[in-house]
Amino acid sequence: MPSLQPLLVTGGSGFIGSHLVRRFVRSYESRYLVVNADKLTYAGNPANLADLISRSNYLFRQIDITDSSSLRALFSEFAFLGVIHLAAESHVDRSISAPAEFVATNVVGTTNLLQCAREAWKEQFEGKCFHHVSTDEVYGSLGDEGSFLESTPYSPRSPYSASKAASDHLVRAFHHT
């Protein structure tokens, strides 16, 4: 039996992340080792994935993505096939009272992940994938149109949405560079 291919999921203990992690662990048991890296802030709850702890294709690491040393160690430990990046500070009201936390996690943390992936994959990039999860709030208020399109310009209206827009632009810049 071939060895499991490691996938990194950041923010995998949150509401959306835990559903994604559970789906991957159960659906790809013989293909992927799912490594969940989560800081376990107010949004992350280890109980969300307690049923997966004994699964052979699931590992949890409590890591803050703003800590580049810990991320580098994680990328050294595992030859990740891909990254699914969900970790983020995400509450608009909290972003107004503590914007620096949002910039640190959403901008600096995303940059750290991108840099670690770039360094780890520099010899063999083919077949690797970095999936970055954003938010519709980068487009601002919905207004009268009723929906956003791919051509809708960015128009963030809070420190949260501005930090997510910045992370989107960093991902795009790393891709093109």
Side-chain angles (χ1 to χ4, degrees), residues 5-76:
Q5 298 176 340
L7 286 176
L8 175 61
V9 178
T10 66
S13 296
F15 178 74
I16 296 170
S18 63
H19 287 280
L20 180 128
V21 165
R22 183 171 288 101
R23 171 69 140 235
F24 268 69
V25 168
R26 289 182 177 166
S27 298
Y28 302 106
E29 188 169 12
S30 63
R31 185 165 180 197
Y32 297 120
L33 169 65
V34 179
V35 179
N36 172 18
D38 199 302
K39 185 179 175 181
L40 296 180
T41 62
Y42 60 89
N45 184 351
N48 289 342
L49 297 169
D51 60 313
L52 300 182
I53 294 299
S54 63
R55 300 292 288 257
S56 63
N57 67 327
Y58 174 74
L59 288 174
F60 172 76
R61 296 287 193 268
Q62 187 168 356
I63 291 178
D64 181 346
I65 62 171
T66 66
D67 180 354
S68 58
S69 297
S70 293
L71 279 179
R72 278 195 182 83
L74 189 66
F75 273 82
S76 292

Side-chain angles (χ1 to χ4, degrees), residues 75 83 111-122 125 130:
F75 273 82
V83 173
T111 304
N112 288 344
L113 274 168
L114 288 163
Q115 185 65 16
C116 285
R118 188 186 71 77
E119 290 169 4
W121 299 341
K122 69 182 173 193
F125 183 76
F130 191 104

Side-chain angles (χ1 to χ4, degrees), residues 94-161:
R94 286 189 69 248
S95 79
I96 295 165
S97 61
E101 292 177 33
F102 287 72
V103 171
T105 299
N106 300 347
V107 180
V108 175
T110 298
T111 304
N112 288 344
L113 274 168
L114 288 163
Q115 185 65 16
C116 285
R118 188 186 71 77
E119 290 169 4
W121 299 341
K122 69 182 173 193
E123 301 299 324
Q124 176 59 30
F125 183 76
E126 188 157 336
K128 307 295 194 290
C129 202
F130 191 104
H131 292 280
H132 170 71
V133 178
S134 188
T135 176
D136 65 336
E137 293 196 38
V138 298
Y139 298 111
S141 299
L142 193 54
D144 297 329
E145 299 89 44
S147 63
F148 297 118
L149 305 171
E150 285 85 4
S151 59
T152 302
Y154 276 38
S155 182
R157 305 290 172 97
S158 70
Y160 162 60
S161 58

